[in-house]
Amino acid sequence: MLGLLATAAGKVLMVSIVVGAGLPALFAAGVRAMAYGVGDEAEVGHGSPHPIGKILGIAIFAVVLFAICSGIAIVVASGLGMQVSFEYVIPTFIPKTK
């Protein structure tokens, strides 16, 4: 019984670290990449724009947005008595199997 509790607590801890600290850190990396993409004017000396920074920033923001939308989909699906399937990459609602 205690082993099951430790396993469950470990899973909750890992998810909370990823969602609670990982997504904001990833978002901050996206903001930093976008700043690098426009020439990093916030730093001393005005650098030239770097297109790779904008592309990387947009990609990071897309990952963060996908994670947020997936989380919302999971919460809504559980409220409707369904579950979320990622079989085709896009989250889809399917009836719960018993």
Side-chain angles (χ1 to χ4, degrees):
M1 183 70 163
L2 191 57
L4 181 62
L5 176 66
T7 303
K11 288 180 181 180
V12 169
L13 178 66
M14 291 307 295
V15 169
S16 66
I17 287 173
V18 168
V19 175
L23 284 178
L26 198 59
F27 181 80
V31 170
R32 182 69 180 121
M34 292 296 281
Y36 179 72
V38 295
D40 208 16
E41 296 175 1
E43 301 226 353
V44 177
H46 299 286
S48 60
H50 304 282
I52 193 71
K54 287 184 181 181
I55 294 169
L56 184 62
I58 290 170
I60 291 173
F61 290 148
V63 168
V64 171
L65 185 62
F66 180 76
I68 291 169
C69 290
S70 297
I72 291 171
I74 290 170
V75 170
V76 169
S78 67
L80 295 174
M82 302 181 93
Q83 66 184 15
V84 177
S85 171
F86 292 94
E87 186 176 350
Y88 302 107
V89 179
I90 298 172
T92 54
F93 293 177
I94 59 172
K96 283 188 179 179
T97 56
K98 293 184 181 189

